[in-house]
Amino acid sequence: MIKPYGDTLNDGKVQLSFTLPVPWSEAADEAARQLVVKMGFADVQVAEGRAIAESFSFFVVYAATPQAIDFESLAVPSVKTHKMTMEEIDALIEERVGRKVRVAGACIGTDAHTVGIDAILNMKGYQGDYGLERYKMFETYNLGSQVAVEDLVRFTKEKKIDALLASQVVTQKGSDVKNFTALVELLEAEGLRDSVILCCGGPRMTSLLATELGYDAGFGRGTLPSEVAAFIATRMPHRVG
Amino acid sequence: MELQIDRNAVARCRKSAAAIADPVQAFIERHSTVSVERSILRLLGVDGVGPGDTPVPNMIVESLDASELPNGIAIPFGRALVQTGLEPRALGERLASGGARLAQFGDVPNEAARGAIVAAARAAFDRVLARRAERNDLMQQLPQLPPPLLYMIVASGNIYEDRTAAVAAAEAGAQIIAVIRSTGQSLLDFVPYGPTTEGFGGTYATQANFAIVREALDEASRRLGRYVMLTNYASGLCMPEIAAMAALERLDMLLNDSMYGILFRDINMKRTFVDQHFSRMLNAASGIIINTGEDNYLTTADAVEQAPAVLASQFINEELARRAGMPDRQIGLGDAYEIDPNLEDGFLFEVAQAQLARQIFPDSPLKYMPPTKHMTGDIFKGHLIDAMFNLTSVMTGQTIHLCGILTEAIHTPFLGDRALSLENARYIMRTARHFGDDVVPKPGGRIERRAADVLSECEILLERVAARGLMQSIEAGVFADVKRSPEGGRGFEGVFERAPDYWNPFEELLS
């Protein structure tokens, strides 16, 4: 069993900060303390409490959690296959697939933030790791921003896309989840779901969430293009085989 | 601080920028767009929505016969004003409800129509000037704190929540409030109507939403004893209309870039060039400071490599804005602090770039954008990077300072995040207020060498663009590695060539 580590094993110490919609006063500090107690924490210390606007107060609180996690029993899938270079990935595709793999990427729904999908697809890549356009064995289509899921599915059908990368950054009001789900449903309705490797990406994406949404893989913040490339390359032989 | 820079190179860059602007300007003068025509109606007072929430200005412009559009909306609308005797707004409603059609007033002589429009346009222009005078008075009574002016973003999707956040940010020290637009509004070929409470990643820019936040900030300004500015976003398919609405609701700034929509939103370049020009004419008259969008070059590519492109874009934006009649004090050229924090001496490069812009554009209220690309979930590190950004800004005398937020990479800022951000900026700017005045960069040192490199690469880039032409250069992917064709992109169908009798009543008033 593990607990947060402050300065001693299993002391359970955490830091919290939050805002309360009241002017600052001693009573506001006390409200912050009681709130953290109600959350189930012990040893609650309001380290800082002050006004940040006329009717809002900000708090920094230290506290100890009584909760613990059985780390050994956790099973979390990881899409990070062993690290492969661009050359290895190209060679794998050439040998096992025997033709270029067609990859399409887009920011879906109303999302106009193409930073993530561009980092993965553009020649230049991200942090010195080349994007998929640079690979010999990928034929890459970057459809850009604000692509309707209907258009993406139509494109997938027309171009016989092998791997589809759907990206969304905006997370307000759960619109990302709705659009990701809509894409899966539409692919299923068109009978295309099993013929594509379906990946999603965004700053809050995790493998677990991707699996729940019905995707083959999910890529979060800090993903390198070669990680996405390796995932597609290792999955492809099963599809064509 | 003062860098030794090659003044002759700066003069050559301006000369290239003028050569780049010449053919673009000639194109602009021969064309108009549906958005320019709609903004004429909006200025005259036409507003509201018809069936399916279509804005009345859209309905009226769309109702014009394709053969009549090249003459502009003013004369047909003027004929209807004469014949019906209605005020512009009431006439708009009549036309939108189907109670009348522009085509039925063809018998009214042009001169009468022109007279009716001139009177209405003068009245509209006076309203714009009155709003401007009102701003000047308020700024006299309620002086701002010295720059860098702390610029804070709110964006909840709900204008009433935005109002609360805007007032709280002003109380925490913000001097400029921006209400971020709903994602994708730049691609709508109409301006939504009324107060809105739903949006994606932001809140729709509507005239009613402008008024709601303006009123709240005016009240806060009086209470705080300092004028709090309000800004929004014009770049997109409705640049001139948003400029008109902003003039009427006394916004103080607008994001208005001559190329942003083309490169980063795939809006047609001809549409954008024509729209930016008329919108900037309006901004000039209404005393609105524009903010250009050079930060976008840096968020989509490597910041060290793109530095010359940022400077080149600043020269082009300056030239096109001057041609729209904007004085330098209203041209807020953009830049951003986006160099990889892992790069040794990255801070020195940032200082070089910011100081270079300060010296080349001494009267521009430079707009400095915070780190976003290299911000991560590590909010503690992010807060430190923001502190270095704040230091660069105060020591190089930036004017408009968009405060970086420690949770940039995580979510739309919490109210508390904004307060922490403002506190960071206020602390650094207080403790280092006159640092820039007292340090002398080592002659020939790293900072000066970097500035010289950026300037000389910018000069080469501008010469290349001037030789090839701006539209052709964009087509060839010279800017931001993005290729756009002159007839491609959104909104091209809304561009039209002016007929010999084309008339825009505001062009005469504004120039």
CSV table of all heavy atoms in Angstrom, one decimal, chain A residues 204-227:
chain,number,residue,atom,x,y,z
A,204,ARG,N,-5.4,16.1,-22.4
A,204,ARG,CA,-5.9,15.3,-21.3
A,204,ARG,C,-6.1,13.8,-21.6
A,204,ARG,O,-6.7,13.1,-20.8
A,204,ARG,CB,-7.2,15.9,-20.8
A,204,ARG,CG,-7.1,17.2,-20.1
A,204,ARG,CD,-8.4,17.6,-19.7
A,204,ARG,NE,-8.4,18.7,-18.7
A,204,ARG,CZ,-9.5,19.2,-18.2
A,204,ARG,NH1,-10.7,18.7,-18.6
A,204,ARG,NH2,-9.5,20.2,-17.4
A,205,MET,N,-5.7,13.4,-22.8
A,205,MET,CA,-6.0,12.0,-23.2
A,205,MET,C,-5.2,11.0,-22.5
A,205,MET,O,-4.0,11.3,-22.2
A,205,MET,CB,-5.8,11.9,-24.7
A,205,MET,CG,-6.3,10.6,-25.3
A,205,MET,SD,-8.0,10.2,-24.9
A,205,MET,CE,-8.9,11.5,-25.7
A,206,THR,N,-5.8,9.9,-22.1
A,206,THR,CA,-5.0,8.8,-21.5
A,206,THR,C,-5.4,7.5,-22.2
A,206,THR,O,-6.5,7.5,-22.8
A,206,THR,CB,-5.4,8.6,-20.0
A,206,THR,OG1,-6.8,8.3,-19.9
A,206,THR,CG2,-5.0,9.9,-19.2
A,207,SER,N,-4.6,6.5,-22.1
A,207,SER,CA,-4.9,5.2,-22.7
A,207,SER,C,-6.3,4.7,-22.2
A,207,SER,O,-7.1,4.1,-22.9
A,207,SER,CB,-3.9,4.2,-22.4
A,207,SER,OG,-2.6,4.7,-22.6
A,208,LEU,N,-6.4,4.9,-20.9
A,208,LEU,CA,-7.6,4.3,-20.3
A,208,LEU,C,-8.9,5.0,-20.8
A,208,LEU,O,-9.8,4.3,-21.2
A,208,LEU,CB,-7.5,4.6,-18.7
A,208,LEU,CG,-8.1,3.6,-17.8
A,208,LEU,CD1,-7.6,2.2,-18.1
A,208,LEU,CD2,-7.9,4.0,-16.4
A,209,LEU,N,-8.9,6.3,-20.9
A,209,LEU,CA,-10.0,7.1,-21.5
A,209,LEU,C,-10.2,6.7,-22.9
A,209,LEU,O,-11.4,6.4,-23.4
A,209,LEU,CB,-9.8,8.6,-21.4
A,209,LEU,CG,-10.8,9.5,-22.0
A,209,LEU,CD1,-12.2,9.2,-21.3
A,209,LEU,CD2,-10.5,11.0,-21.8
A,210,ALA,N,-9.1,6.5,-23.7
A,210,ALA,CA,-9.2,6.1,-25.1
A,210,ALA,C,-9.9,4.8,-25.3
A,210,ALA,O,-10.8,4.6,-26.1
A,210,ALA,CB,-7.9,6.1,-25.8
A,211,THR,N,-9.6,3.9,-24.4
A,211,THR,CA,-10.2,2.5,-24.5
A,211,THR,C,-11.7,2.6,-24.1
A,211,THR,O,-12.5,2.0,-24.8
A,211,THR,CB,-9.4,1.6,-23.5
A,211,THR,OG1,-8.0,1.8,-23.6
A,211,THR,CG2,-9.8,0.1,-23.7
A,212,GLU,N,-12.0,3.4,-23.1
A,212,GLU,CA,-13.4,3.6,-22.8
A,212,GLU,C,-14.2,4.2,-23.9
A,212,GLU,O,-15.4,3.8,-24.1
A,212,GLU,CB,-13.5,4.5,-21.6
A,212,GLU,CG,-13.3,3.8,-20.2
A,212,GLU,CD,-13.2,4.9,-19.1
A,212,GLU,OE1,-13.8,6.0,-19.2
A,212,GLU,OE2,-12.6,4.5,-18.0
A,213,LEU,N,-13.6,5.1,-24.7
A,213,LEU,CA,-14.3,5.7,-25.8
A,213,LEU,C,-14.4,4.8,-27.0
A,213,LEU,O,-15.1,5.1,-28.0
A,213,LEU,CB,-13.6,7.0,-26.2
A,213,LEU,CG,-13.6,8.1,-25.2
A,213,LEU,CD1,-12.6,9.3,-25.6
A,213,LEU,CD2,-15.0,8.7,-25.0
A,214,GLY,N,-13.7,3.7,-27.0
A,214,GLY,CA,-13.7,2.7,-28.1
A,214,GLY,C,-12.6,3.0,-29.1
A,214,GLY,O,-12.7,2.6,-30.3
A,215,TYR,N,-11.5,3.6,-28.7
A,215,TYR,CA,-10.4,3.8,-29.6
A,215,TYR,C,-9.3,2.8,-29.4
A,215,TYR,O,-9.3,2.1,-28.3
A,215,TYR,CB,-9.8,5.2,-29.3
A,215,TYR,CG,-10.6,6.3,-30.0
A,215,TYR,CD1,-11.9,6.6,-29.5
A,215,TYR,CD2,-10.1,7.1,-31.0
A,215,TYR,CE1,-12.7,7.6,-30.1
A,215,TYR,CE2,-10.9,8.1,-31.6
A,215,TYR,CZ,-12.1,8.4,-31.1
A,215,TYR,OH,-12.9,9.3,-31.7
A,216,ASP,N,-8.4,2.6,-30.3
A,216,ASP,CA,-7.4,1.6,-30.2
A,216,ASP,C,-6.2,2.2,-29.3
A,216,ASP,O,-5.5,1.4,-28.6
A,216,ASP,CB,-6.8,1.3,-31.5
A,216,ASP,CG,-7.8,0.6,-32.4
A,216,ASP,OD1,-8.5,-0.3,-31.8
A,216,ASP,OD2,-8.0,0.9,-33.6
A,217,ALA,N,-6.1,3.5,-29.3
A,217,ALA,CA,-5.0,4.1,-28.5
A,217,ALA,C,-5.4,5.6,-28.3
A,217,ALA,O,-6.0,6.2,-29.1
A,217,ALA,CB,-3.7,4.0,-29.2
A,218,GLY,N,-4.8,6.1,-27.2
A,218,GLY,CA,-5.0,7.5,-26.9
A,218,GLY,C,-3.6,8.1,-26.5
A,218,GLY,O,-2.8,7.4,-25.9
A,219,PHE,N,-3.3,9.3,-27.1
A,219,PHE,CA,-2.0,9.9,-26.8
A,219,PHE,C,-2.2,11.2,-26.2
A,219,PHE,O,-2.9,12.1,-26.6
A,219,PHE,CB,-1.3,10.0,-28.2
A,219,PHE,CG,-1.0,8.7,-28.8
A,219,PHE,CD1,-1.8,8.2,-29.8
A,219,PHE,CD2,0.1,8.0,-28.5
A,219,PHE,CE1,-1.6,7.0,-30.4
A,219,PHE,CE2,0.4,6.7,-29.1
A,219,PHE,CZ,-0.5,6.2,-30.0
A,220,GLY,N,-1.5,11.4,-25.0
A,220,GLY,CA,-1.6,12.6,-24.3
A,220,GLY,C,-0.5,13.6,-24.5
A,220,GLY,O,0.3,13.4,-25.4
A,221,ARG,N,-0.4,14.5,-23.6
A,221,ARG,CA,0.6,15.5,-23.6
A,221,ARG,C,2.0,14.9,-23.7
A,221,ARG,O,2.3,13.9,-23.0
A,221,ARG,CB,0.5,16.4,-22.3
A,221,ARG,CG,1.4,17.6,-22.2
A,221,ARG,CD,0.8,18.5,-21.2
A,221,ARG,NE,-0.4,19.2,-21.8
A,221,ARG,CZ,-0.3,20.2,-22.7
A,221,ARG,NH1,0.8,20.7,-23.1
A,221,ARG,NH2,-1.4,20.8,-23.1
A,222,GLY,N,2.9,15.5,-24.5
A,222,GLY,CA,4.3,15.1,-24.5
A,222,GLY,C,4.5,13.9,-25.4
A,222,GLY,O,5.7,13.4,-25.5
A,223,THR,N,3.5,13.4,-26.1
A,223,THR,CA,3.7,12.3,-27.0
A,223,THR,C,4.6,12.7,-28.2
A,223,THR,O,4.4,13.7,-28.8
A,223,THR,CB,2.3,11.8,-27.6
A,223,THR,OG1,1.4,11.5,-26.5
A,223,THR,CG2,2.5,10.7,-28.6
A,224,LEU,N,5.5,11.8,-28.5
A,224,LEU,CA,6.4,12.0,-29.7
A,224,LEU,C,5.8,11.4,-30.9
A,224,LEU,O,5.1,10.3,-30.8
A,224,LEU,CB,7.8,11.4,-29.4
A,224,LEU,CG,8.5,12.1,-28.2
A,224,LEU,CD1,9.8,11.3,-28.0
A,224,LEU,CD2,8.8,13.5,-28.5
A,225,PRO,N,6.1,12.0,-32.1
A,225,PRO,CA,5.5,11.4,-33.3
A,225,PRO,C,6.0,9.9,-33.5
A,225,PRO,O,5.2,9.1,-33.9
A,225,PRO,CB,6.2,12.2,-34.4
A,225,PRO,CG,6.4,13.5,-33.8
A,225,PRO,CD,6.7,13.3,-32.3
A,226,SER,N,7.2,9.6,-33.1
A,226,SER,CA,7.7,8.2,-33.3
A,226,SER,C,6.9,7.2,-32.4
A,226,SER,O,6.7,6.0,-32.8
A,226,SER,CB,9.1,8.1,-33.0
A,226,SER,OG,9.4,8.4,-31.7
A,227,GLU,N,6.3,7.7,-31.3
A,227,GLU,CA,5.5,6.8,-30.5
A,227,GLU,C,4.2,6.4,-31.2
A,227,GLU,O,3.7,5.3,-31.2
A,227,GLU,CB,5.2,7.4,-29.2
A,227,GLU,CG,6.4,7.6,-28.3
A,227,GLU,CD,6.2,8.5,-27.1
A,227,GLU,OE1,5.0,9.0,-26.9
A,227,GLU,OE2,7.1,8.7,-26.3
